[in-house]
Structures are given as structure tokens and as C-alpha cells.
Amino acid sequence: MRLADGPRMLFDGVDMALEAGVRACLVGRNGAGKSTLMRILAGQNQVDGGDRIVTPGVRVVLLAQEPVITGETLLDYASAGGAETHEAEAELMLFGLDPHRTTKGLSGGETRRVALARALAERPEVLLLDEPTNHLDIFAIETLEAELRSRRMAMLMVSHDRAFLERTTQRCFWLEDRRIWRLDKGFEAFDAWSEKIAADQVETLRRLSKAIERETYWFHRSITAQRTRNEGRARELNAMRQQRAELMRDRTGSMTMAAQSGDASGKRVVEARGLSKQFGDRVLIKDFSTRIQRGDRIAIVGPNGAGKTTLVKLLLGEIEPDEGSVKLGTNLTVAYVDQARDTLKNDTTLWDALTPFGGDQVMVQGAPKHVAAYARDFLFQDSQLRQPVSSLSGGERNRLLLAKALAQPANLLVLDEPTNDLDMDTLDLLEDVLGRYDGTLILVSHDRDFVDRLATSTIALDGNGRAAETPGGWKDFIEQNPDFFTFQTSAAPKPKAGSAPPPAAAPKKAAKLSFKDQHRLTELEALTPKLTSDIAAQEKRLEDPALYARDPTGFDRIMKDLDRLRARLSAAEDEWLALEEKREALANS
């Protein structure tokens, strides 16, 4: 198949086949044309050359990346494609949806589940899924995985979710350099295979370039070539140049991304005690406590609507808890990438979004950089700078948010669903950047692989007020809390009639810090912000570039004061943590 998008060729000589019962994935960079190819396979788009061949009687259904839900009720929509009413109803209920609910006011996750229910209810022979896990929580993704594995239809899936693809695929198609590469194994083998192909291409390009250099040298210096006009040799040289152009075409620059924490925060970043929050009769969080220290990478997981974003806002002090307290550490600078992307205004341009105070410079980690150059670091073209944000794709909007957040030094980075709509190359780069980031990270995500690779601790919310925290990522949490997300329908069972009542529990002895320790804890909580302020004042004095030349003795004195203050702050934080742990141990004894 061949297809051009204006002057740009999307596909040239693409060949692929999908047999009955095969579950395959289509992998490629953002902008490579995966969604376009899916629409071609579904018969929605036409090609400039080549053929689309479908066995007669075979039904092909496409789940679009951004489905639009219409009709009065969810059942109306799910059965509008020809599915039997009882099939549509069953699929909606499988994904936890009320078939008779109105289609108005659906969240992103609900929209995706309704569209999946319709696609599955139609029982096609070929199912095409474009980013099916976007906006789904972990449990909906696991439901979808089980359903897809149980079906006998052929499937082709585009997804950035590695864990999902590893659990569902048997074949990989890689859309790269306008052609398709095929691997007859599941996605777990994709990385090693694609890296070998990329390395082979780099070596082929290197050898070809050297051959062109040699041939060009001899062609222009050969007396025979100049006198006899050796047309055969000229044709060979042009063919080699064309082959090199083919290898180099559409090669995009690598995305550049970096995160710096700037000034270090205090050792304590967030201290939350006994947090509770409810909206109306819905209890989201009940009596939850946690301590986040400098350098921690905290993942927050749970079903959609469980209160993950609410917990983030509680921890940041943006909303007040109904009960409990939150104490933020000293010297915190926060960068927040929100799930709803509310910080992006649709009517503003990409240029204005990156330079909110005007001009043509972006302050990147404290140094100015031209807005066009910084935008190119995140794979934006110069022609996009004056386009409105509303014209950007989901992945481009997410990259823009990351560009804005990572431009500023921040020692607390909060990412709420950062993986939606990003391709795997960008995800790998983001993961690498966050892995090297020396600040504190709070991550809300449904991407199990992403959480497992990054999190040092995982906080889970079950949607009924319970919250629990364990070291490690998603797999670690499930292994240590296998029944945490099991729906509890009732309290403890009632005793049988005639049985003796259970013995009364012994009264719990009150335990708390001694007066001396409590007094010292209060002193430390007042001392740490003062020491931090004194350190900042001394560092401000050192910003004078002429200080050492003007007053070397004073410069040395400031340096010694800084060393002393930093040592006192570190000791005070260590002592505070020890007393806090002692207080908690006494309270739980």
C-alpha cells in the first residue's frame, strides 16, 4: 500500500496480513501513521496505491482512538452497530456499566468502556483497537485482557501499554520508515528484535555512506570517467545515493527531555496524619497516614473514581481534609502535570503556552532557550508554534504539558496520568528521565509496567475509603495485599444463636512520647524551617560574583557557616525522623 499526506509520504510498499484468530499489535512512533493505517484496514480511508483484500463475509470493526458516544442510552449506542440487544447489554455489564444510563456526562474512562462494549458485542471476525487502554483503570484493563484472550477473532491493537501488549499479543507489526516489519512472537520479544533491526540499519547506512564517498572521489578524479563519460558508473553512484536517501528519509530527531530538582527540599517532604475526605455520602479516604521523604517515588493506584487525584491535592495542601492534618516540608518547589490538562487553554498557541509572559525565550532549568529550539526538543515542528492548542493531538498535548513542567527546576514533581497518548519511545525516555531525577516524585498511573519500573512505594485506594501503602510497585502491592481490592459486602459475621459472646478486648494502654521527647519534637519542627531560611540567605550572598575578590575572608566565613548550617539541618531532620518513628511505634504498641 502507498499513501501520501500532502507532500509527505506516509506509507510506501506496506504489506501486512492478519489470519483468523491471530492477536497482533501495531507499534510505531507518534506520527508514523498507525491510526491512519488502522482506518485503511477498516475500509474508512482510501490508499493512493495497492490493495486491501478482505475475505468475503468477514466483518471488520474499528475502535477509534477518540470514540464519540451517541444515542439516548448506553444500550442504544452499544447495539447501534448491529449487535444483538442481549449481547450489548452483557458487554456493558461486563465493564461495570448500567445499560440504561444516559450517554450524557460520561468520563473518559466510561466513554472508552462503552466503545469497547459495542465493539465486542458486534462479534466481528477482525477487531481493530486503537489505544484501547487509554483512560481505563487497571481493573478495566485486566477485564479487557481476559476478554480478548477468550475470543477467537483476529485482532490488531495499537497501544502504549507494554503490560497489556505482553499479555495479549502473539505477533508484532512495526511501522518504521514507511514500511512494516513483522515479528511472529508476542510483544515481550519486541524490544530486543527492534533494537537489532535498528542497529543493522545504522550499520548499513554507515557502509553505504563510505561507499558513496569512495565512488564520488574516483568518479570525479578518474580521467577515464571524465573523458568517456562512464554512464554506467554514474548510474551506480546515483542508485547508491537514492538508496541512502531511502534509508534516511523520515528519520526524526530524538526527543530531548530532562528534569532537574533545583535546590534540595528538606528531608521531610509531606507528613500526613489521619486523613479523611468524603463528598456527600461518598467516603474516598478514611484515616490514612503517610510520610514522604526526599527522593521517594510514590505511585498512587486504584480504580477510576477512587479518589487518587483527591489524595494528591490533599497531600499538596490544595484542598482541606475533613479530618487529619498535612504538613509540607521546607523549601518545596512543585511542578504538577494534571490529568485533565486544565492548565492548557485551547485558544492559545503552542508558542504562547511555552512563553506565558511573552517574548521568544523559555527559561529552561534557569537558562534561556529560544522557544522554537525548546519545542523541537519535544518533537514539535516550527510550523506548529502558531497553531492553537486545540489542534494538537492527545500525545502532543501531553508532550506540551511535560515541556512546561520540566522547564522549571522542581524538587517535587507530580504527574497525574502522564502516560496517556504517549508513544513507547517517549515513554521510555520519560521513564529514564524520572529514574535519574533526584527530587521527589508522586505518580498517578494505571500503567502497571511504568509503575513497576519507577515506584519505590505504592499507595492504593480501593474506592470505599480504604488506603494502604507498601514498598515497591504494582506487582509488589498485589503480592502483599492480594485481597485488598476484593469488594467487601458486609462487616464481620454475626455470632450464631446460643453461642457465647466473644471475650471483651483488654483495654489498650495509652502510649505516647515522654514530655521531654514531645518537647524536643516541637522544637525540631520549628528549627528546621529556620535553618533552611538561614541557608537560603547565605546562598543568596554567594550569588555576588565579585564577593571573593572583594572580601576573600568574608567569602570563607560564609562557606564555613553554610557547612555548619547544613550539618545542623541534616542532624535535626534525622533526629525528627527518629522521634516520629518512636511516636508511631508507641501509638501502635
Side-chain angles (χ1 to χ4, degrees), residues 64-224:
Q65 189 173 143
E66 297 182 0
V68 178
I69 310 302
T70 57
E72 289 296 322
T73 67
L74 302 188
L75 184 58
D76 290 338
Y77 173 80
S79 57
E84 297 289 340
T85 301
H86 70 278
E87 294 278 10
E89 194 168 30
E91 296 297 343
L92 288 168
M93 294 176 69
L94 174 70
F95 287 102
L97 298 165
D98 177 3
H100 303 292
R101 177 181 168 180
T102 178
T103 57
K104 308 298 182 184
L106 297 176
S107 67
E110 290 168 336
T111 297
R112 183 72 52 180
R113 284 183 283 154
V114 173
L116 282 167
R118 170 171 169 163
L120 291 169
E122 293 179 13
R123 297 292 190 266
E125 285 75 25
V126 179
L127 179 60
L128 308 175
L129 301 172
D130 196 351
E131 294 291 358
T133 67
N134 263 7
H135 307 293
L136 294 185
D137 62 33
I138 292 173
F139 311 99
I141 294 172
E142 290 180 341
T143 297
L144 176 61
E145 289 171 353
E147 192 69 9
L148 295 181
R149 288 196 299 265
S150 71
R151 300 296 181 98
R152 306 303 303 166
M153 64 185 74
M155 303 175 201
L156 183 64
M157 296 168 272
V158 172
S159 177
H160 65 269
D161 189 323
R162 290 177 177 273
F164 170 76
L165 292 180
E166 287 175 359
R167 287 163 170 79
T168 56
T169 59
Q170 304 159 319
R171 179 182 297 170
C172 298
F173 293 108
W174 184 24
L175 180 56
E176 179 73 1
D177 292 334
R178 297 186 288 178
R179 60 167 291 186
I180 287 284
W181 304 79
R182 170 173 161 169
L183 171 67
D184 288 322
K185 294 181 180 179
F187 183 77
E188 66 275 2
F190 174 81
D191 283 340
W193 170 74
S194 60
E195 286 171 7
K196 184 179 184 304
I197 290 177
D200 290 345
Q201 283 191 302
V202 169
E203 179 62 18
T204 299
L205 183 59
R206 186 190 68 80
R207 291 179 179 178
L208 187 59
S209 295
K210 297 298 291 183
I212 290 173
E213 287 181 18
R214 291 193 300 268
E215 189 67 17
T216 301
Y217 177 86
W218 289 111
F219 181 78
H220 287 295
R221 285 160 179 76
S222 169
I223 296 175
T224 302

Side-chain angles (χ1 to χ4, degrees), residues 388-563:
V389 167
S390 58
S391 69
L392 300 179
S393 68
E396 289 169 334
R397 289 166 69 90
N398 215 353
R399 293 207 309 270
L400 177 56
L401 275 175
L402 289 170
K404 286 169 61 67
L406 298 180
Q408 53 180 312
N411 51 38
L412 175 55
L413 186 58
V414 183
L415 304 179
D416 195 347
E417 291 295 350
T419 66
N420 279 345
D421 302 309
L422 295 182
D423 61 31
M424 288 183 184
D425 289 339
T426 306
L427 277 179
D428 288 343
L429 178 57
L430 178 60
E431 177 191 311
D432 182 59
V433 168
L434 296 178
R436 291 183 283 107
Y437 175 61
D438 59 358
T440 305
L441 173 68
I442 297 177
L443 170 69
V444 178
S445 181
H446 297 303
D447 191 320
R448 294 156 293 178
D449 182 76
F450 197 67
V451 169
D452 282 335
R453 291 172 185 243
L454 284 173
T456 58
S457 181
T458 297
I459 298 172
L461 307 178
D462 74 344
N464 297 306
R466 289 198 306 155
E469 181 174 8
T470 58
W474 169 255
K475 288 181 181 177
D476 299 300
F477 183 89
I478 292 301
E479 287 176 1
Q480 297 174 60
N481 303 273
D483 299 323
F484 180 79
F485 291 106
T486 301
F487 182 67
Q488 301 295 324
T489 57
S490 63
K494 297 179 181 179
K496 295 180 180 179
S499 63
K508 190 174 181 180
K509 183 180 178 180
K512 61 181 180 179
L513 288 175
S514 67
F515 174 80
K516 179 181 176 181
D517 284 345
Q518 184 60 54
H519 180 68
R520 180 56 178 161
L521 188 63
T522 303
E523 284 183 336
L524 290 170
E525 290 180 342
L527 178 62
T528 50
K530 181 180 184 305
L531 289 172
T532 302
S533 177
D534 291 345
I535 289 170
Q538 295 291 58
E539 289 175 338
K540 184 71 175 176
R541 294 177 64 186
L542 290 177
E543 291 178 2
D544 180 1
L547 175 61
Y548 182 79
R550 186 177 66 252
D551 185 9
T553 303
F555 181 88
D556 290 340
R557 187 169 58 253
I558 292 172
M559 293 299 295
K560 290 177 181 178
D561 285 346
L562 268 175
D563 289 341

Side-chain angles (χ1 to χ4, degrees), residues 358-384:
D360 60 1
Q361 302 289 320
V362 182
M363 293 301 294
V364 181
Q365 308 297 337
K369 188 169 187 175
H370 194 274
V371 61
Y374 188 58
R376 284 194 292 270
D377 286 345
F378 287 80
L379 301 185
F380 290 108
Q381 300 177 10
D382 292 354
S383 59
Q384 292 179 284

